[in-house]
């Protein structure tokens, strides 16, 4: 994984699997780390949960060795993530890239 | 956009219900149909059968209503209302009042169905805040 001065670093892997139904299914895994500009309190947690529910991919938020499903607003608040700490967004599925991009943007602009 | 599951907050205190409403509108959404039944008919601390019944009707958009009581007679009154007006799509949910309301409103705002919204409120009991 590369590092840069940018607070957001992204890694992505794409795997194609051949399905017995003779169609190609592409499942992608994306991951982005965001340094929080502000505490991850109630309002941004609510925004994250609502955004996360709009994707079909399996999404995880990771902070300080704890992993939660961001569709759970209470679990997101329970991370207790504070300004300056790093939260990693990870998604696996057909809209993984869009999910990670959207959630990382919310985390990066939280007030 | 399809209809949204409604939420009813039943409290002994009109101020508590109204304050929780403001909170969940900020965290979750102000577009979820949400009604409060707080206090007695004449504004004292207590619960009102008629206010609960009216709140259920106010929050109902045709895809189900989750009723969240705070404690004690709020639970009893809400149960009595639902027993007198039984409907499979109006559920009273055993959940912590604040956390359950926040989880229910956020989940309803994302377009979830009645069972998913009710489960989100129930599961609020098991989410640690520390």
């Amino acid at each position: 994984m590369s590092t840069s001065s940018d607070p957001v670093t992204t890694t992505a892997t794409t795997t194609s699997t051949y399905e017995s139904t003779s169609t190609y299914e592409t499942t992608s895994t994306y991951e982005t780390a965001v340094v929080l500009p502000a505490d991850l309190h109630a309002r941004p947690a609510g925004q994250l949960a609502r955004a996360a529910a709009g994707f079909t991919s399996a999404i995880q938020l990771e902070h300080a060795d704890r992993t939660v499903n961001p569709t759970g607003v209470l679990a997101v608040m329970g991370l207790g993530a504070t300004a300056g700490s790093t939260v990693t967004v990870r998604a696996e599925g057909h809209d993984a890239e869009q999910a990670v991009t959207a959630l990382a943007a919310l985390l990066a602009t939280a007030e | 956009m399809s209809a949204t599951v409604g939420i009813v907050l039943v409290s002994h205190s009109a101020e508590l219900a109204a304050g929780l409403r403001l909170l969940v509108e900020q965290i979750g959404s102000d577009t979820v149909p949400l009604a409060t039944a707080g206090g007695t008919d004449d504004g004292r601390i207590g619960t009102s059968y008629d206010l609960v019944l009216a709140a259920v009707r106010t929050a109902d958009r045709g895809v189900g209503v989750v009723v969240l009581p705070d404690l004690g007679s709020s639970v009893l009154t809400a149960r009595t209302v639902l027993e007198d007006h039984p409907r499979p799509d109006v559920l009273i949910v055993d959940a912590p009042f604040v956390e359950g309301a926040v989880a229910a409103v956020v989940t309803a705002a994302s377009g979830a169905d009645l069972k998913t919204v009710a489960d989100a409120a129930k599961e609020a009991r098991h989410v640690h805040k520390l």
Side-chain angles (χ1 to χ4, degrees), chain A residues 42-43 46 49-50 53 73-75 78, chain B residues 26-29 99 106 109-110 124 127:
Chain A
R43 232 170 308 199
R50 291 179 59 192
V73 58
L74 301 172
Chain B
Q26 291 252 325
I27 299 173
S29 164
E99 291 87 341
V106 169
S110 65
V127 182

Side-chain angles (χ1 to χ4, degrees), chain A:
Chain A
M1 188 163 141
S2 64
T3 54
S4 71
S5 58
D6 190 283
V8 177
T9 53
T10 304
T11 57
T13 55
T14 302
T15 9
S16 293
T17 52
Y18 186 68
E19 302 266 305
S20 58
T21 53
S22 299
T23 57
Y24 280 101
E25 290 282 325
T26 304
T27 302
S28 302
T29 305
Y30 281 85
E31 183 177 309
T32 294
V34 180
V35 177
L36 295 179
D39 297 348
L40 186 45
H41 51 78
R43 232 170 308 199
Q47 291 172 346
L48 276 174
R50 291 179 59 192
F55 296 99
T56 58
S57 294
I59 315 175
Q60 292 180 329
L61 285 190
E62 192 178 293
H63 171 77
D65 296 329
R66 289 174 66 192
T67 302
V68 299
N69 181 337
T71 57
V73 58
L74 301 172
V76 174
M77 287 184 222
L79 284 175
T82 51
S85 67
T86 300
V87 172
T88 301
V89 190
R90 191 177 300 122
E92 182 175 355
H94 300 298
D95 54 7
E97 183 177 10
Q98 295 93 317
V100 168
T101 302
L103 268 60
L106 284 173
L107 286 168
T109 56
E111 294 177 343

Side-chain angles (χ1 to χ4, degrees), chain A residues 42 45-46 73-74 77, chain B residues 7 9 20 23-25 27-29 68 96-108 120-121 124:
Chain A
V73 58
L74 301 172
M77 287 184 222
Chain B
I7 314 289
L9 306 176
L20 181 54
L23 177 66
V24 299
E25 284 177 351
I27 299 173
S29 164
L68 296 169
F97 196 48
V98 176
E99 291 87 341
V102 168
V105 168
V106 169
T107 306

Side-chain angles (χ1 to χ4, degrees), chain B residues 14-111:
Chain B
E15 290 84 355
L16 179 56
L20 181 54
R21 177 196 197 118
L22 289 175
L23 177 66
V24 299
E25 284 177 351
Q26 291 252 325
I27 299 173
S29 164
D30 57 5
T31 59
V32 171
L34 190 147
T36 59
T40 61
D41 292 332
D42 55 359
R44 289 173 295 120
I45 293 290
T47 52
S48 157
Y49 182 102
D50 291 338
L51 288 180
V52 173
L53 183 59
V56 170
R57 288 175 176 158
T58 301
D60 185 10
R61 296 290 183 277
V63 292
V65 175
V66 166
V67 180
L68 296 169
D70 60 356
L71 75 179
S73 73
S74 291
V75 180
L76 299 174
T77 304
R79 290 179 81 162
T80 305
V81 169
L82 300 192
E83 280 162 18
D84 289 351
H85 305 269
R87 280 178 47 184
D89 62 342
V90 179
L91 304 177
I92 180 167
V93 172
D94 185 355
F97 196 48
V98 176
E99 291 87 341
V102 168
V105 168
V106 169
T107 306
S110 65

